[in-house]
Amino acid sequence: MKAKTTAGSGNPPPAFQIHVRVYWEDTDAGGIVFYANYLRFMERARTEWLRSLGHGQEAARQSGGGMFVVSETQVRYLRPARLDDWLTVTVRVVEAGKASMVFDQKVLRGDEVLTEGQIRIGWVQPGPDGFRPGRIPADMLAALTGDPARDHN
Amino acid sequence: MKAKTTAGSGNPPPAFQIHVRVYWEDTDAGGIVFYANYLRFMERARTEWLRSLGHGQEAARQSGGGMFVVSETQVRYLRPARLDDWLTVTVRVVEAGKASMVFDQKVLRGDEVLTEGQIRIGWVQPGPDGFRPGRIPADMLAALTGDPARDHN
Amino acid sequence: MKAKTTAGSGNPPPAFQIHVRVYWEDTDAGGIVFYANYLRFMERARTEWLRSLGHGQEAARQSGGGMFVVSETQVRYLRPARLDDWLTVTVRVVEAGKASMVFDQKVLRGDEVLTEGQIRIGWVQPGPDGFRPGRIPADMLAALTGDPARDHN
Amino acid sequence: MKAKTTAGSGNPPPAFQIHVRVYWEDTDAGGIVFYANYLRFMERARTEWLRSLGHGQEAARQSGGGMFVVSETQVRYLRPARLDDWLTVTVRVVEAGKASMVFDQKVLRGDEVLTEGQIRIGWVQPGPDGFRPGRIPADMLAALTGDPARDHN
C-alpha cells in the first residue's frame, strides 16, 4: 500500500481517537482478544470519526447514496489485550484518492501499542446490477483530509 | 411460549439436525463457547433445514419476498462446549401458526445435551415504510410442518 | 423464572444503565442488529455495573477466584435497532439467591423499548476437574443488591 | 512478508481446503459478509488442516503445551460473498520457520476468488509470567510442511 497522495502534506494530518472497553464477547479461549476483533475496534474509530464530522453512514445508506467498503487490511498483532482492558484506538489518513483512502490505525493500552493496521477503503454506490465502485463523495473526502478546498470540488 | 397449534399432531413432528465444529471464534476467555453463540448454531440448523426443503433465504430476500425474523428466544445453558468439540444441533417444530412458528432446539455433544432453546420466529415483508409483519408463506409453512395440505391454504 | 427472593423488597431495586452505539459489526443482511447481539449489549451493561461497584471480572478470573456464567436467557425482540443507533441498555436485579441471580434488562432507543430480557447467572469456581458451581461471593451479591447487611453473611 | 524458507521447494507445497456456508451471523447491513469474518473462515481452514493431521488444538492448550497465535494478517477483499453462498477456503504454507509460519489463503465461490490473505502465525507456551513466544513443535511443523524428516528434529 504505497501512498499515491499524501493527505495534508506540510501539515500534521488529521487524526482521531476513541476508547474501547474489552468485554467477554471480544475474547477467546486463549484468554485474550480474538485477533479478528481488532478490525472491529478499528472500524468503530473510523465510524465515530465520520460521525464527528457530520457524516452518518446509515443515513447515506438508506438514502441510496452509497457506502464505504473495506478493500484491504494489513494488521500486526504485537501484544494481546485482555478482558476489562480500556483501549485507545487511533485513526489517521495516510492516503486520500478519489476512489480509495488508506488509514493508519493503532490500538493502544496506555502508551503500549498492541496492534497496528493499515486499512484501505473504497466507495460503492447502487447500480442497475447491485453496488458498483464509485468516487468517494467530495464532502466526505474533504472532511476526512481536513482540506476545506475539496468541499468545492 | 405455549403452543397454540401443535404441528403434526398424531404424527411424529418433522425434525432436522446438523453438525457444528467449535472454533476459536466461538469461544471466550472462560475457555468455553460464549453463550450468545449457541443462538448462531441454532440458526444454522434452521437455515439448513429450510435449504434442504428447497427454500433459500437470500433468494427470497433479494426478490423482495420477505424474510424470517426472530421474535423471541429462550435458552438454557446446561453444560459448556469447548474448542474442537463436534456438536449436533437439532430443530423441531413445536408450534406453527400463520404469523409465527416456534422451534425446539438442542445442542448436544454425543448424547449429552449442552443447551436447549425455544426460538419463535415471525415473517416480515417489504412495505411502504420498511418491513412489516406478514403471514409466513404457505409453502414454507407447509414444508416445515410436513403438512402437504397447507400448500393449498 | 420465578423469583425466589425479591431483591430490595420495600425499596426500589438497584439499577444501572449504559449507552451503546450500533456499528456495522452488530448488523446483519436484514439491515438491522443481529438478534443474538442484544445479548452482548446486555452483558456489557452487567459488566459495567460490576465495574462501577469495584468488581473487575478479569482480576477475579486470573486470581482463580471464579467467574459468573450465564445459565439462562429469555429475550423478546420487539423492534429492530439499526446502524448508527444510540441505545440505552438497562439492568435491574429481580432475583438474588446465593447460587444464582436474575437480571431484568431492556434495550431502548430513546423511550422506545426494542428488546427486553431476563438473564440468569450463576457462579463457578475452579475445582480439581475444572470449574464447578459455587456460591456467588457475598461482597458481589451485596453490592449488586444494594444490601450492605449481606456483606456479613 | 517475505518468505525466509520456502516450504516444499521443488515439490508442490502441501495444501488443504474446506467448505463454508454463509449464514446470517456472517453478514452485515451492506447485505454482504462482514469483512472481518473472512479471517474466521480462514482460521477454520487452518484448524481443520491441523486436525486432519492429527493435531487438536484444545488438547494441546489444556495439557499446557502451548498454542498458535496469529501475529500478522494481510487480506484483500476482492468481491463480496452473500448469505447462503457456499464457499471454498484454501490454505497453503508459503513460509515455514521454527518460530513462525506464513499461510497463503483464498476464499472462493466456485472458481471466483473473493478474498485472499497471508496469515502469519507464531507459537506461545506457558511461562512464569503468562504465555511467551516459543518454537513451533517439530511434529506440527513437519506435518504442515509435509516434510517427514522434520519429525526427527
Side-chain angles (χ1 to χ4, degrees):
Chain A
M1 290 190 188
K2 284 191 184 173
K4 286 181 295 187
T5 309
T6 300
S9 55
N11 298 314
F16 187 78
Q17 72 178 45
I18 64 166
H19 293 288
V20 163
R21 175 76 68 188
V22 177
Y23 295 108
W24 283 102
E25 65 189 86
D26 303 310
T27 60
D28 69 19
I32 59 178
V33 168
F34 184 63
Y35 60 95
N37 291 339
Y38 292 102
L39 286 175
R40 302 180 170 213
F41 299 167
M42 290 177 180
E43 174 157 313
R44 294 181 199 174
R46 298 194 306 274
T47 292
E48 292 300 341
W49 193 11
L50 274 172
R51 187 190 328 284
S52 76
L53 297 167
H55 295 282
Q57 293 179 82
E58 178 68 358
R61 188 180 75 85
Q62 292 214 347
S63 68
M67 59 183 177
F68 282 115
V69 287
V70 172
S71 59
E72 192 172 348
T73 58
Q74 189 170 351
V75 184
R76 293 198 301 153
Y77 312 91
L78 306 172
R79 291 174 191 80
R82 295 175 188 284
L83 188 64
D84 283 348
D85 278 350
W86 179 242
L87 306 175
T88 302
V89 187
T90 68
V91 50
R92 191 169 59 85
V93 175
V94 291
E95 178 185 330
K98 285 171 181 165
S100 75
M101 299 182 69
V102 177
F103 297 92
D104 186 275
Q105 301 203 247
K106 287 186 174 54
V107 179
L108 305 101
R109 182 177 49 214
D111 293 334
E112 189 180 31
V113 178
L114 306 185
T115 307
E116 54 189 17
Q118 285 202 307
I119 312 295
R120 179 183 292 276
I121 63 173
W123 184 263
V124 294
Q125 49 204 33
D129 303 316
F131 284 91
R132 53 171 53 193
R135 287 195 174 184
I136 299 170
D139 57 341
M140 284 209 192
L141 195 54
L144 286 169
T145 56
D147 182 0
R150 299 192 88 121
D151 277 334
H152 307 292
N153 280 1
Chain B
M1 290 189 187
K2 284 192 185 172
K4 287 182 296 189
T5 310
T6 300
S9 56
N11 297 314
F16 187 77
Q17 72 177 48
I18 63 166
H19 293 288
V20 164
R21 175 75 69 186
V22 177
Y23 295 109
W24 284 102
E25 65 188 90
D26 303 310
T27 61
D28 70 19
I32 59 179
V33 168
F34 183 64
Y35 60 96
N37 291 339
Y38 292 103
L39 285 175
R40 300 180 172 215
F41 299 166
M42 290 177 180
E43 175 158 312
R44 295 181 198 174
R46 299 194 307 274
T47 292
E48 291 300 342
W49 193 11
L50 274 172
R51 188 190 326 286
S52 76
L53 297 167
H55 295 282
Q57 294 178 81
E58 177 69 358
R61 188 179 75 85
Q62 292 216 346
S63 69
M67 58 184 179
F68 282 115
V69 287
V70 172
S71 59
E72 193 173 349
T73 59
Q74 190 170 351
V75 184
R76 293 199 300 153
Y77 312 91
L78 306 172
R79 290 173 191 82
R82 296 177 187 285
L83 187 64
D84 283 348
D85 278 351
W86 180 240
L87 306 175
T88 302
V89 188
T90 68
V91 51
R92 190 171 59 85
V93 174
V94 291
E95 177 185 330
K98 284 172 183 165
S100 75
M101 301 182 69
V102 177
F103 297 92
D104 185 274
Q105 301 202 248
K106 286 185 174 54
V107 179
L108 305 101
R109 183 178 47 214
D111 293 334
E112 189 181 31
V113 178
L114 306 185
T115 308
E116 54 190 17
Q118 284 202 309
I119 312 295
R120 180 183 291 275
I121 63 173
W123 184 263
V124 294
Q125 50 203 33
D129 301 317
F131 285 91
R132 52 170 52 192
R135 287 195 174 186
I136 298 171
D139 56 341
M140 283 208 193
L141 195 53
L144 285 169
T145 56
D147 182 359
R150 298 193 88 119
D151 277 332
H152 308 293
N153 278 4
Chain C
M1 289 189 188
K2 284 192 185 172
K4 287 182 295 189
T5 309
T6 299
S9 57
N11 296 315
F16 187 77
Q17 72 176 47
I18 63 165
H19 293 288
V20 163
R21 175 75 68 186
V22 177
Y23 295 109
W24 283 102
E25 66 188 86
D26 304 310
T27 62
D28 69 19
I32 59 179
V33 167
F34 184 63
Y35 59 96
N37 291 339
Y38 292 102
L39 286 175
R40 301 180 170 213
F41 298 166
M42 290 177 179
E43 174 158 312
R44 294 181 199 174
R46 298 194 307 275
T47 293
E48 292 299 341
W49 193 12
L50 274 172
R51 187 190 327 284
S52 76
L53 297 167
H55 295 283
Q57 293 179 80
E58 178 69 358
R61 187 180 74 85
Q62 291 214 347
S63 69
M67 59 184 178
F68 281 115
V69 288
V70 172
S71 59
E72 191 172 349
T73 58
Q74 189 171 349
V75 184
R76 293 198 301 153
Y77 312 91
L78 306 172
R79 292 173 191 81
R82 296 175 187 285
L83 186 65
D84 282 350
D85 278 351
W86 180 241
L87 306 175
T88 302
V89 188
T90 68
V91 50
R92 191 171 58 86
V93 174
V94 291
E95 177 185 330
K98 284 171 182 165
S100 75
M101 300 182 69
V102 177
F103 298 92
D104 185 274
Q105 301 203 247
K106 288 186 173 54
V107 179
L108 305 101
R109 182 177 48 213
D111 292 335
E112 189 181 30
V113 177
L114 306 185
T115 307
E116 54 189 19
Q118 284 202 309
I119 312 296
R120 180 183 291 276
I121 63 173
W123 184 263
V124 294
Q125 50 203 34
D129 302 317
F131 285 91
R132 53 171 53 193
R135 286 196 175 185
I136 299 171
D139 56 343
M140 284 208 192
L141 195 54
L144 286 169
T145 56
D147 181 0
R150 299 193 88 119
D151 276 333
H152 308 291
N153 279 3
Chain D
M1 290 188 187
K2 283 192 186 173
K4 286 182 293 188
T5 309
T6 300
S9 55
N11 296 315
F16 188 77
Q17 72 177 46
I18 64 166
H19 293 288
V20 164
R21 175 75 68 186
V22 177
Y23 295 108
W24 284 103
E25 65 188 89
D26 303 310
T27 61
D28 69 19
I32 58 179
V33 168
F34 183 63
Y35 60 96
N37 291 339
Y38 292 102
L39 285 175
R40 301 181 171 213
F41 298 167
M42 290 177 181
E43 175 156 313
R44 295 182 199 173
R46 298 194 306 275
T47 292
E48 291 300 341
W49 193 11
L50 274 172
R51 188 191 327 284
S52 76
L53 297 167
H55 295 282
Q57 293 178 82
E58 179 68 358
R61 188 179 75 86
Q62 292 215 347
S63 68
M67 60 184 175
F68 281 115
V69 288
V70 172
S71 59
E72 193 172 349
T73 59
Q74 189 171 349
V75 184
R76 292 198 301 153
Y77 311 91
L78 306 171
R79 291 173 191 81
R82 295 176 188 285
L83 187 64
D84 282 348
D85 278 350
W86 179 241
L87 305 175
T88 302
V89 188
T90 68
V91 51
R92 191 170 59 85
V93 174
V94 291
E95 178 185 329
K98 285 171 180 164
S100 75
M101 300 183 68
V102 178
F103 298 92
D104 186 274
Q105 301 202 248
K106 287 185 174 54
V107 179
L108 305 101
R109 183 176 49 214
D111 294 334
E112 190 180 31
V113 178
L114 306 185
T115 307
E116 54 189 19
Q118 285 202 308
I119 313 295
R120 179 183 292 276
I121 63 173
W123 185 262
V124 294
Q125 50 202 33
D129 302 316
F131 285 92
R132 53 171 52 195
R135 286 196 175 185
I136 299 170
D139 57 341
M140 283 207 192
L141 195 54
L144 286 168
T145 55
D147 181 0
R150 301 191 86 122
D151 276 333
H152 307 291
N153 279 2

